[in-house]
């Protein structure tokens, strides 16, 4: 077995996208196209991944600066796929198996690629039979199904264009021969580019015609050349993620209205209503229910937690059976202990709600530690920011905070304390007592009432 070297072609401009960003950085399921291709390449455990970059190259490199396993090859001028591979081969030893992938073909899976890598022939091409081959190179095959040549659409005549076997672009070859073939490619074609695809005619002439491997699922080799195709890939990605999560037993109200843009771990009897987006690392415990129109990013929900509709949760951890929403916004550092409940129009940030504590309506709870069985009245605000820095609020267990209370932090509310509605609390409130910080109610008689009195 020869050591595997992967070449990823990612230098092209992607004109048809009409974007200021390099195409391979455009997001699919929230991550750059190229990141998906690299994941797939890594699954094959290669010796090295050579990424050919060029157009707006520094942006591409810096987007992947934390990846240590990439070898970057600069293609200053994009002179074609053949030229790009020629450059990448300069750093690859003779005794190697080479796999060529495209930075804009992101739905590939390692299974079919492994077959290309393992094939015991010097040259293998991944092909697909499609209904509409427009835009792709066409694969001419001989009676044995081997590749005689690949013709680019622009250079094809009407008969060649009618062929529905397309070049996916993805191929595996032995480095030694590929180097010779790539060096012989000429730019005598409609685009005056060095087409990698020309190596197939050369190989056939040498009596080493490329082997064809048909991709089992055409979706895997779809490229993202324009905004329409990118949206199509997004839909395929969504469908794939939905199938995967349903295989784990999750009940999706509508698989077409579910988006997963990251990794998800699930327990049993998880139910997800329509139009839910899961991002980053999400963990949903046994019996978790997610209501409609929710977005969850990097959250860990304990068993039995129920999220009602229209919630936005990021960086949230719940510990057991909690109830959130509808219309709650929980930001990073929100922690809910067993039985805690957060209702509509409540925002939390960097705040822990103790067991069975409740914030039912219209509150902002930031930088706070709230004890168990505390009741937060409607309209309670932790005033955690003084214009310079953030301050902490501590609320002891079983405290009762009346509606429309402003807690000016730093402040401490003792256990079992009661704070009267409408208070502006600027000093600590002692445990077990009623604290009020508002003006007394007075009734001032009006002129009209005085007249009334004299009349009567
Ligand atoms: C290419 C194939 C075509 C195939 C199709 C499959 C060639 C000549 N054509 O066409 O047969 O059906 O892919 O999707 O190979 N790139 C570079 N450097 C360059 C030129 C391109 O790195 O100088 C990269 C691009 O960034 C892209 C890939 O190579 O990731 C393919 O280039 P693109 O221009 O998209 O080729 P297609 O016209 O799609
Ligand atoms: Ca392409």
């Amino acid at each position: 077995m020869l050591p595997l070297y992967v070449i990823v072609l990612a230098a092209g401009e992607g004109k048809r996208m009409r974007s200021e960003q390099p195409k391979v950085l455009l997001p699919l399921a929230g991550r750059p196209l190229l990141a998906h291709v690299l994941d797939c390449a890594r699954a094959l455990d290669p010796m090295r991944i050579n990424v050919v970059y060029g157009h707006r190259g520094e942006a591409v490199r810096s987007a992947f600066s934390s990846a240590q396993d990439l070898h970057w090859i600069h293609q200053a001028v994009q002179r074609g796929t053949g030229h790009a591979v020629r450059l990448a081969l300069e750093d690859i030893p003779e005794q190697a198996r080479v796999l060529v992938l495209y930075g804009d073909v992101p739905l590939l899976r390692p299974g079919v690629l492994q077959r290309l890598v393992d094939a015991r022939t010097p040259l293998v091409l991944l092909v697909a039979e499609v209904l509409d081959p427009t835009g792709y190179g066409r694969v001419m095959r001989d009676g044995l199904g081997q590749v005689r040549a690949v013709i680019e659409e622009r250079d094809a005549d009407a008969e060649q264009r009618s062929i529905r076997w397309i070049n996916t672009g993805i191929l595996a070859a032995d480095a030694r021969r590929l180097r010779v073939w790539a060096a012989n490619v000429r730019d005598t074609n409609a685009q005056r580019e060095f087409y990698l695809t020309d190596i197939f005619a050369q190989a056939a002439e040498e009596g080493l015609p490329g082997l064809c491997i048909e991709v089992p699922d055409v979706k895997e080799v779809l490229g993202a050349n324009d905004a329409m195709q990118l949206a199509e890939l997004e839909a395929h990605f969504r469908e794939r993620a939905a199938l995967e999560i349903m295989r784990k037993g999750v009940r999706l109200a509508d698989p077409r209205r579910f988006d997963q843009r990251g990794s998800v771990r699930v327990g049993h009897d998880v139910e997800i209503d329509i139009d839910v987006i899961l991002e980053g690392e999400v963990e949903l415990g046994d019996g978790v229910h997610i209501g409609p129109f929710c977005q969850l990013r990097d959250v860990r929900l304990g068993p039995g937690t129920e999220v009602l509709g229209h919630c936005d949760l990021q960086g949230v951890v719940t510990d057991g059976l909690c109830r959130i929403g509808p219309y709650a916004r929980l930001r990073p550092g929100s922690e809910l202990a067993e039985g805690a409940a957060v209702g509509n129009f409540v925002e939390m940030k960097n705040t822990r709600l103790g067991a069975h504590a409740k914030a039912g309506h219209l509150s902002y709870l930031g930088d706070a530690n709230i004890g168990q069985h505390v009741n937060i009245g409607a309209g309670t605000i932790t005033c955690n920011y003084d214009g310079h820095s953030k301050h902490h609020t501590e609320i002891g267990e079983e405290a009762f905070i009346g509606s429309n209370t402003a807690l000016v932090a730093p402040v401490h509310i003792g256990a079992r304390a009661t704070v009267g509605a409408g208070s502006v609390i600027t000093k600590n409130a002692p445990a077990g007592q009623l604290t009020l910080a508002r003006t007394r109610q007075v009734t001032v008689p009006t002129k009209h009432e005085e007249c009334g009195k004299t009349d009567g």
Side-chain angles (χ1 to χ4, degrees):
M1 268 304 207
L2 296 170
L4 175 64
Y5 284 73
V6 176
I7 298 175
V8 180
L9 302 186
E13 182 179 346
K15 281 195 197 75
R16 290 165 279 179
M17 275 299 174
R18 296 174 180 277
S19 166
E20 287 285 294
Q21 288 189 68
K23 174 161 79 173
V24 291
L25 291 188
L26 294 180
L28 172 76
R31 300 169 65 220
L33 288 168
L34 182 56
H36 295 269
V37 179
L38 295 176
D39 281 355
C40 183
R42 288 184 181 117
L44 301 167
D45 201 16
M47 285 292 287
R48 204 164 67 199
I49 303 175
N50 290 353
V51 184
V52 182
Y53 73 108
H55 180 76
R56 306 229 23 226
E58 281 318 309
V60 178
R61 272 194 80 153
S62 64
F64 291 89
S65 56
S66 59
Q68 298 299 314
D69 58 343
L70 303 178
H71 184 70
W72 295 93
I73 291 147
H74 191 237
Q75 188 191 24
V77 185
Q78 283 77 64
R79 306 204 53 203
T81 47
H83 178 247
V85 166
R86 204 188 288 169
L87 287 178
L89 281 168
E90 284 174 15
D91 289 338
I92 294 177
E94 291 282 279
Q95 293 302 314
R97 185 75 167 166
V98 175
L99 175 69
V100 178
L101 302 179
Y102 288 43
D104 65 345
V105 179
L107 294 181
L108 268 174
R109 282 198 264 216
V112 65
L113 295 182
Q114 193 66 55
R115 286 175 54 205
L116 259 73
V117 171
D118 293 344
R120 291 174 184 277
T121 73
L123 181 62
V124 207
L125 177 63
L126 188 65
V127 301
E129 193 180 15
V130 296
L131 285 177
D132 178 12
T134 310
Y136 291 96
R138 310 295 205 280
V139 182
M140 319 282 136
R141 307 207 298 174
D142 62 19
L144 297 170
Q146 303 175 109
V147 190
R148 295 245 52 98
V150 174
I151 315 281
E152 288 307 295
E153 182 165 87
R154 293 172 197 249
D155 304 295
D157 59 33
E159 193 188 329
Q160 289 166 332
R161 284 186 187 199
S162 69
I163 293 174
R164 292 195 290 116
W165 285 99
I166 60 150
N167 169 30
T168 65
I170 288 139
L171 61 87
D174 289 348
R176 192 167 57 87
R177 291 187 197 277
L178 185 59
R179 200 188 313 277
V180 177
W181 291 326
N184 288 335
V185 165
R186 295 285 158 261
D187 64 351
T188 46
N189 51 53
Q191 293 197 90
R192 303 212 54 82
E193 280 189 0
F194 294 94
Y195 290 165
L196 179 61
T197 43
D198 285 355
I199 67 170
F200 289 94
Q202 286 185 52
E205 270 164 39
E206 285 175 25
L208 292 170
L211 184 79
C212 283
I213 289 187
E214 191 185 345
V215 65
D217 177 1
V218 178
K219 286 170 199 152
E220 285 196 36
V221 293
L222 295 179
N225 294 307
D226 55 34
M228 285 73 78
Q229 288 179 343
L230 187 57
E232 203 181 307
L233 295 189
E234 186 80 32
H236 292 315
F237 189 97
R238 185 184 312 137
E239 183 187 62
R240 198 188 262 186
L243 285 174
E244 236 164 74
I245 204 169
M246 288 190 294
R247 273 192 211 106
K248 293 179 186 164
V250 172
R251 296 190 286 275
L252 295 180
D254 182 352
R256 285 162 307 174
R257 285 191 281 171
F258 166 75
D259 281 80
Q260 182 191 321
R261 303 170 185 161
S263 65
V264 178
R265 288 178 54 190
V266 289
H268 59 76
D269 290 291
V270 170
E271 285 184 6
I272 300 181
D273 212 325
I274 57 166
D275 291 327
V276 169
I277 304 173
L278 306 182
E279 293 185 326
E281 284 179 32
V282 172
E283 215 179 303
L284 306 175
D286 297 342
V288 164
H289 284 202
I290 312 290
F293 312 109
C294 290
Q295 183 159 10
L296 277 61
R297 186 185 186 104
D298 297 319
V299 307
R300 202 170 76 224
L301 303 183
T305 288
E306 186 176 11
V307 180
L308 302 175
H310 299 277
C311 288
D312 187 321
L313 273 48
Q314 184 177 354
V316 177
V317 176
T318 72
D319 185 10
L321 211 147
C322 298
R323 201 177 146 98
I324 299 170
Y327 299 100
R329 176 168 185 224
L330 308 191
R331 294 163 53 201
S334 297
E335 273 182 51
L336 277 69
E338 168 76 30
V342 173
N344 40 253
F345 308 108
V346 173
E347 176 178 347
M348 282 175 68
K349 186 218 74 175
N350 194 25
T351 287
R352 187 184 147 79
L353 258 190
H356 305 283
K358 291 186 172 53
H361 340 258
L362 298 156
S363 282
Y364 172 64
L365 305 171
D367 302 308
N369 185 25
I370 297 167
Q372 56 182 350
H373 293 281
V374 165
N375 195 305
I376 304 284
T380 296
I381 306 287
T382 52
C383 310
N384 62 330
Y385 186 51
D386 58 12
H388 296 285
S389 33
K390 303 279 167 71
H391 301 282
H392 183 79
T393 299
E394 186 78 28
I395 303 178
E397 58 184 48
E398 293 172 43
F400 182 94
I401 312 296
S403 295
N404 209 29
T405 293
L407 299 164
V408 182
V411 73
H412 183 256
I413 309 296
R416 286 169 293 281
T418 299
V419 174
S423 293
V424 176
I425 298 293
T426 53
K427 291 189 286 252
N428 292 346
Q433 298 181 51
L434 170 65
T435 300
L436 294 165
R438 62 186 192 218
T439 48
R440 261 178 204 282
Q441 179 168 331
V442 289
T443 303
V444 180
T446 61
K447 277 240 157 59
H448 171 77
E449 279 171 340
E450 279 169 9
C451 292
K453 270 182 202 156
T454 42
D455 280 2

